């Protein structure tokens, strides 16, 4: 059974090992141990019997906008809806925090549209500070990621 939980500082080495190949391929942006530690509260881990199956981060940009980053599922765990579970956990957290929209930049837009995200033009991304991360990417400035947004419906 998959369990979702917040990451701790002790998880960083295993998280970095899991993402290393995807970073080399330019699918996921590199993040130093210090950067991961600074943002450790953003990370959601998926585990099965104590083994890390995947993770992702809900990064807050403003009271209005958050971003799902660094989503990865270990190859041996793919096809079991673990990525979907991480995203849904992040969306619930965004709702609890009062965020209005959740953004994702991805090479796998179909995965996110099935969850309820819809594509937007990159030029319409509401917060320009997101682009500060793009400079770290091996594909910059010729990016072919797709930007999608998920509106959070808040109950009143």
């Amino acid at each position: 059974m998959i369990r979702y939980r917040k990451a701790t500082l002790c998880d960083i080495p295993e998280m970095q090992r899991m993402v290393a190949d995807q970073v080399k391929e330019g699918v996921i942006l590199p993040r130093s141990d210090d950067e991961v530690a600074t943002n450790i509260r953003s990370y959601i881990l998926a585990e099965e019997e104590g083994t890390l199956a995947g993770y992702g981060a809900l990064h807050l940009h403003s009271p209005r906008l958050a971003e799902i980053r660094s989503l990865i599922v270990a190859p041996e765990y793919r096809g079991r809806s673990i990525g979907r579970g991480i995203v849904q956990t992040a969306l619930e957290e965004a709702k609890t925090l009062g965020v209005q929209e959740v953004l994702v930049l991805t090479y796998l837009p179909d995965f996110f549209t099935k969850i309820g995200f819809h594509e937007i033009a990159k030029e319409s991304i509401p917060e320009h500070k997101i682009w500060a991360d793009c400079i770290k990417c091996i594909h910059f400035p010729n990016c072919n990621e797709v930007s999608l947004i998920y509106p959070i419906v808040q109950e009143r």
Side-chain angles (χ1 to χ4, degrees):
M1 186 163 126
I2 300 297
R3 178 176 82 105
Y4 299 93
R5 68 170 177 86
K6 296 300 279 184
T8 68
L9 295 170
C10 296
D11 295 312
I12 293 172
E14 191 174 4
M15 292 167 65
Q16 293 287 45
R17 279 191 296 277
M18 178 178 282
V19 79
D21 289 341
Q22 297 292 307
V23 168
K24 283 180 194 166
E25 292 177 24
V27 176
I28 293 180
L29 287 176
R31 303 215 186 269
S32 69
D33 287 355
D34 287 345
E35 187 177 0
V36 174
T38 298
N39 294 291
I40 198 69
R41 292 182 193 115
S42 299
Y43 289 92
I44 300 161
L45 274 55
E47 290 182 326
E48 184 175 61
E49 297 177 9
T51 300
L52 183 61
Y55 69 87
L58 179 71
H59 183 79
L60 301 175
H61 287 289
S62 71
R64 191 176 67 68
L65 182 70
E67 178 185 6
I68 293 178
R69 297 178 166 184
S70 304
L71 181 63
I72 185 164
V73 174
E76 62 272 23
Y77 287 96
R78 292 182 186 156
R80 295 179 48 191
S81 297
I82 293 169
R84 175 182 283 270
I86 294 166
V87 170
Q88 289 174 328
T89 302
L91 294 174
E92 283 300 315
E93 183 176 359
K95 185 174 183 176
T96 299
L97 292 170
V99 172
Q100 295 173 18
E101 295 179 309
V102 177
L103 171 77
V104 67
L105 294 164
T106 183
Y107 296 109
L108 301 172
D110 291 346
F111 170 81
F112 289 95
T113 56
K114 289 176 186 171
I115 296 172
F117 284 76
H118 64 275
E119 189 171 338
I120 61 169
K122 282 185 208 160
E123 301 76 39
S124 71
I125 292 175
E127 308 289 333
H128 292 299
K129 59 185 125 175
I130 293 163
W131 298 111
D133 278 336
C134 294
I135 237 159
K136 300 175 191 174
C137 183
I138 64 172
H139 302 292
F140 182 79
N142 300 315
C143 176
N144 59 352
E145 279 189 311
V146 176
S147 53
L148 299 104
I149 203 100
Y150 184 95
I152 302 290
V153 177
Q154 299 291 342
E155 283 104 31
R156 298 189 187 250

